[in-house]
Amino acid sequence: MRYIEDDLKNKAILITGGAGFIGSNLAFYFQENHPDAKVVILDIFRSGETLSNGNLKSFGHFKNLLGFTGEIISGDINDKDLLLRLENQYNFDYIFHEAAISDTTALEQDLMIKTNLNAYKDLLDLAVKHNANMIYASSAATYGNAESPQRVGREAPNNVYGFSKLSMDYLSREYMKKCSISIVGLRYFNVYGAREYFKNSTASMVLQFGHQILAGKNPRLFEGSDKILRDFIYIEDIIQANIKAMQPKKSGIYNVGTGKARSFQDIVNILQKELGTSLSCEYIPNPFIGSYQFHTEANIATTTELLNYKPTYEMEDAIKEYVPEIRRLYEEEVK
Ligand SMILES: NC(=O)c1ccc[n+]([C@@H]2O[C@H](COP(=O)([O-])OP(=O)(O)OC[C@H]3O[C@@H](n4cnc5c(N)ncnc54)[C@H](O)[C@@H]3O)[C@@H](O)[C@H]2O)c1
């Protein structure tokens, strides 16, 4: 579904992190709804290199882009020469910046700050030179365990990932003061949906529980999961927010959630209903206590007012829509 009137004919759009979950969904949104726009993807893709927690350093995967016909560049946003080439060879109208160390449990503070914050500054400078609108991915991780509902201005990150995203927001505010381009930071809450499979163990629990259930295993939840609540948001509403952020009433930092917290237990219950199972759950101790969010719920009042964003999916509807893809992935990738 198209979210703006403009057909974006001959507009040049850069999507960093376009081989990842959210970036690839954005790429297909443009291909399907604005076929005359020119979309360029920049992503480092996966190399097999891992972080100290054992997870991949980057999750970009070609399979997320099967069927995408635009231009694809494999490269590192930390590579200043590459950014200079982009500056000289293109003239972007919009930059969607999704590339990041997206693993919230990564411990490498040096790499996190360099990739998430310092490279973002270079991309902001590129946006200013091209007079492009910047729409970038911030995160609900900026809030840590700040009181619910989370509001912009009351942040308390409790890991370096959240810190890096909050620092991006502070930097953006400085640019908003001194530059005339439109800059919108979107604080995504917990996103789930198609093309997240290649995030491996950092993919949403919707997908992970779905695959546990399809394998006939008892879903494994942290103890007290009926009281661990998050604002889980479906990918289609994330796309809506990004596209509406192309024409904001005002530059700024906006929450992107549903405005309703749901529990991890709810996810399992809905999945079991959709998959026709009644497996008993297994409860395990939570190893992340101290850097874990126990209750998130986005206050989306300004997002609605200034971006005209309205979440459209209840979790029941979103999981119902997602289940055939969860099954396909299980058959084609997991088994
Ligand atoms: N998925 C969520 O729930 C969620 C929530 C809040 C914020 N975010 C943010 O949204 C953005 C997209 O997240 P995602 O879920 O699609 O994650 P993802 O890991 O699937 O996508 C990020 C992409 O960036 C690429 N990348 C990493 N380092 C790079 C580098 N140095 N140069 C170029 N490309 C690089 C990766 O290969 C990957 O394809 C990220 O900035 C993430 O921090 C995601």
Side-chain angles (χ1 to χ4, degrees):
M1 174 182 163
R2 221 197 223 195
Y3 294 111
I4 48 169
E5 293 277 317
D6 190 340
D7 61 6
L8 303 174
K9 192 170 168 63
N10 298 327
K11 296 289 184 206
I13 299 170
L14 174 66
I15 305 176
T16 72
F21 168 32
I22 296 168
S24 60
N25 278 288
L26 272 171
F28 281 103
Y29 167 82
F30 287 116
Q31 184 162 301
E32 284 154 22
N33 296 286
H34 303 271
D36 295 326
K38 180 178 168 45
V39 178
V40 178
I41 281 174
L42 167 61
D43 198 295
I44 199 165
F45 288 81
R46 63 184 56 202
S47 64
E49 206 181 325
T50 53
L51 299 167
S52 60
N53 63 9
N55 292 339
L56 284 179
K57 200 169 150 189
S58 50
F59 295 110
H61 199 295
F62 80 90
K63 284 194 181 176
N64 286 334
L65 291 173
L66 283 174
F68 173 71
T69 55
E71 191 176 342
I72 300 171
I73 302 168
S74 172
D76 190 338
I77 53 169
N78 295 304
D79 178 348
K80 288 180 190 289
D81 291 337
L82 172 62
L83 295 191
L84 193 62
R85 283 205 299 282
L86 290 181
E87 184 188 318
N88 293 332
Q89 290 173 12
Y90 298 85
N91 196 5
F92 294 115
D93 298 289
Y94 298 94
I95 298 179
F96 290 86
H97 176 46
E98 305 298 323
I101 303 287
S102 64
D103 182 349
T104 58
T105 66
L107 298 171
E108 282 79 355
Q109 301 194 10
D110 50 353
L111 184 72
M112 188 74 86
I113 303 296
K114 192 169 106 169
T115 307
N116 291 9
L117 178 63
N118 301 154
Y120 172 55
K121 183 169 192 297
D122 295 333
L123 284 158
L124 269 173
D125 289 334
L126 173 66
V128 171
K129 293 217 171 84
H130 285 187
N131 197 26
N133 285 26
M134 170 65 84
I135 298 116
Y136 72 94
S138 180
S139 172
T142 53
Y143 295 115
N145 265 325
E147 208 188 322
S148 266
Q150 285 75 24
R151 281 167 209 276
V152 176
R154 290 195 205 156
E155 297 81 7
N158 53 12
N159 55 37
V160 65
Y161 169 80
F163 173 83
S164 75
K165 292 286 177 178
L166 182 56
S167 304
M168 290 172 76
D169 296 341
Y170 290 150
L171 179 68
S172 301
R173 288 221 173 88
E174 287 307 307
Y175 274 71
M176 286 174 207
K177 278 187 222 153
K178 66 179 187 192
C179 306
S180 60
I181 60 164
S182 162
I183 303 173
V184 175
L186 298 175
R187 286 191 179 159
Y188 308 149
F189 279 61
N190 281 69
V191 193
Y192 61 101
R195 302 192 179 91
E196 64 167 313
Y197 174 74
F198 294 104
K199 291 180 71 175
N200 303 349
S201 65
T202 73
S204 79
M205 289 314 298
V206 176
L207 181 64
Q208 298 194 45
F209 287 140
H211 284 174
Q212 286 171 20
I213 294 167
L214 285 170
K217 294 180 188 153
N218 301 97
R220 297 183 86 203
L221 296 104
F222 291 146
E223 286 162 350
S225 276
D226 55 333
K227 292 184 192 65
I228 306 177
L229 274 69
R230 297 268 177 93
D231 192 328
F232 297 99
I233 170 134
Y234 192 49
I235 186 68
E236 189 59 35
D237 282 330
I238 291 287
I239 299 304
Q240 181 205 150
N242 270 277
I243 303 310
K244 291 186 171 171
M246 296 169 83
Q247 299 173 342
K249 287 194 186 129
K250 209 172 153 197
S251 287
I253 319 293
Y254 298 97
N255 283 339
V256 187
T258 61
K260 272 188 214 154
R262 302 290 302 261
S263 73
F264 284 91
Q265 189 70 57
D266 285 340
I267 297 177
V268 170
N269 296 348
I270 298 168
L271 279 165
Q272 295 234 57
K273 180 167 171 270
E274 289 301 325
L275 294 168
T277 57
S278 50
L279 296 158
S280 55
C281 297
E282 191 186 321
Y283 296 96
I284 57 170
N286 183 345
F288 301 114
I289 285 180
S291 61
Y292 197 73
Q293 291 178 303
F294 284 90
H295 195 292
T296 66
E297 186 173 80
N299 176 313
I300 54 171
T302 52
T303 326
T304 302
E305 186 193 336
L306 299 173
L307 298 188
N308 187 30
Y309 159 81
K310 288 177 210 74
T312 51
Y313 281 84
E314 293 290 335
M315 185 184 261
E316 281 75 4
D317 306 327
I319 290 182
K320 193 183 181 75
E321 183 172 298
Y322 188 18
V323 153
E325 175 62 4
I326 295 176
R327 280 191 194 276
R328 184 195 70 80
L329 286 163
Y330 184 72
E331 293 301 321
E332 292 180 18
E333 301 289 346
V334 180
K335 256 182 164 178

